[in-house]
Amino acid sequence: MSIQYKIAEAKLNGSVKKALYESLEQPQNRNDVPDFIQNKFDVEKLEFGEHCMFKIAPRDVSCKTAIMLISGGAGFMPPNDMHFKTAAALIKETGATVFMPFYPLAPKATVRIALHYLQRAWSEILRDFLAQNVTFMGDGIGANLALGLCNRVNRKPGHIVAVSPMPGIGQDAWKETFIEEEKNDPILSMEISDKIESVWYRNIPQGSVDREVLCMQYKGFPPTLLIYGSRDMFSKSTDALVQKIGENGATVQILKKDMFHSWALRQNFPETKNAMQQIAAFIGSGTNLEKARTSDEKDE
């Protein structure tokens, strides 16, 4: 691992677990993008009732490809600067337009409410881009949502990139594994996992495909790239997810390192730059893709 990563992990020293849990108790609202995004890209705010989605596009470039970047935050927090820096890196590496949906959050919302909103956001993206020219990408709970959204919609995206997904939350079969793996995780905790289970997944059965990505069949899914770390308490359940996707006929690739949760979004690590390049190679440059047609058809 790089010296930058080793220093970052040493500084965490377990203290971030408490701070992260406290941020779930008092989540911050946000409905804007940082100045560095406004200054570098063409930004458009698309509003849907109480919620919105930002369209972030490279200037003076006609984009044929797009990425729907679904941020994590345990289902409680909106996109943060790490997600916007990732959006900027993705635009640099791929030349794609990035859509960032601000989906409904816990404690008011549940995963099903968020998925319904994301279906509406997907319909808006399809006005300007062909489905096969779009990549669903998310981190943490956002990765779960990217997989769940693909499971719900008829018109599938061209690719999926799932960064540090969180399979098995609240599943009885995985609790002992998570308790053991938490010892090596400098960021996530069982306390955080239990919070997600009790609020974000409330009143949703363990076997529901809306709740549990390990319960989906993955038939007809596009090529999927999973990026995660062995220092993540969900590492072993993600190994099982890789196997599940492959067994059901979808093409699956992995990028796994001995690193913590969502390492691929930390733009100050050399490993992250490599990950962005691999994502770009995975989804393709898009130069030979068919130009999108405007469509009013909904996919809800």
Side-chain angles (χ1 to χ4, degrees):
M1 296 301 102
S2 66
I3 188 65
Q4 294 93 328
Y5 172 80
K6 291 178 180 179
I7 291 172
E9 186 175 286
K11 286 181 177 179
L12 292 175
N13 195 29
S15 60
V16 73
K17 294 187 179 187
K18 181 179 179 181
L20 181 56
Y21 180 80
E22 289 175 350
S23 69
L24 303 188
E25 291 286 290
Q26 296 180 325
Q28 300 296 311
N29 293 323
R30 182 174 195 167
N31 60 0
D32 60 359
V33 301
D35 289 342
F36 74 86
I37 293 290
Q38 294 279 6
N39 294 336
K40 290 182 66 175
F41 305 106
D42 288 335
V43 179
E44 181 180 358
K45 186 177 183 180
L46 310 173
E47 298 191 70
F48 312 120
E50 297 180 2
H51 301 280
C52 67
M53 176 169 65
F54 284 94
K55 179 181 179 181
I56 307 169
R59 288 179 175 159
D60 302 321
V61 176
S62 178
C63 297
K64 298 178 182 178
T65 58
I67 299 170
M68 187 182 193
L69 181 58
I70 307 173
S71 62
F76 285 76
M77 295 177 285
N80 58 34
D81 282 356
M82 178 180 73
H83 297 109
F84 286 107
K85 289 177 181 177
T86 296
L90 289 169
I91 294 171
K92 178 182 178 181
E93 293 293 341
T94 68
T97 293
V98 173
F99 290 87
M100 294 188 68
F102 281 46
Y103 56 85
L105 297 169
K108 183 178 180 180
T110 66
V111 62
R112 281 181 172 158
I113 294 172
L115 283 169
H116 181 72
Y117 163 80
L118 289 171
Q119 284 180 261
R120 184 176 178 185
W122 177 225
S123 293
E124 293 299 319
I125 294 172
L126 289 173
R127 291 177 180 270
D128 298 318
F129 292 88
L130 293 174
Q132 64 264 30
N133 293 2
V134 183
T135 296
F136 287 176
M137 178 173 169
D139 70 292
I141 286 298
N144 288 27
L145 286 170
L147 295 168
L149 176 62
C150 186
N151 190 60
R152 277 186 167 218
V153 299
N154 293 321
R155 285 181 286 178
K156 308 295 187 190
H159 300 84
I160 298 175
V161 178
V163 178
S164 297
M166 301 169 77
I169 289 183
Q171 303 292 318
D172 296 336
W174 284 100
K175 284 197 173 180
E176 289 187 11
T177 300
F178 293 154
I179 291 170
E180 184 63 27
E181 292 299 305
E182 182 193 355
K183 299 173 184 177
N184 297 317
D185 191 323
I187 294 178
L188 300 178
S189 66
M190 283 303 299
E191 192 175 28
I192 293 169
S193 177
D194 291 344
K195 184 76 171 180
I196 295 170
E197 177 190 1
S198 63
V199 181
W200 184 241
Y201 292 146
R202 64 182 181 273
N203 302 322
I204 301 175
Q206 286 193 15
S208 169
V209 293
D210 286 340
R211 166 177 172 153
E212 182 48 64
V213 294
L214 288 169
C215 291
M216 293 191 294
Q217 293 304 308
Y218 295 99
K219 185 177 181 179
F221 264 54
T224 300
L225 172 64
L226 283 93
I227 304 175
Y228 58 113
S230 57
R231 298 273 285 167
D232 190 324
M233 63 182 280
F234 294 96
S235 175
K236 290 187 177 180
S237 63
T238 303
D239 290 340
L241 176 62
V242 172
Q243 183 177 353
K244 177 69 180 287
I245 295 173
E247 286 176 348
N248 285 273
T251 300
V252 60
Q253 297 181 29
I254 66 169
L255 174 57
K256 182 180 181 181
K257 291 186 176 293
D258 188 27
M259 300 174 76
F260 52 56
H261 184 76
S262 290
W263 62 266
L265 271 62
R266 308 286 182 124
Q267 299 301 320
N268 53 331
F269 299 157
E271 293 89 348
T272 299
K273 181 173 177 57
N274 178 259
M276 293 296 111
Q277 292 171 344
Q278 291 198 45
I279 291 169
F282 176 70
I283 66 177
S285 65
T287 54
N288 296 317
L289 294 177
E290 182 181 355
K291 187 176 180 180
R293 296 183 296 270
T294 300
S295 172
D296 291 329
E297 183 181 356
K298 298 292 183 182
D299 198 337
E300 295 187 44

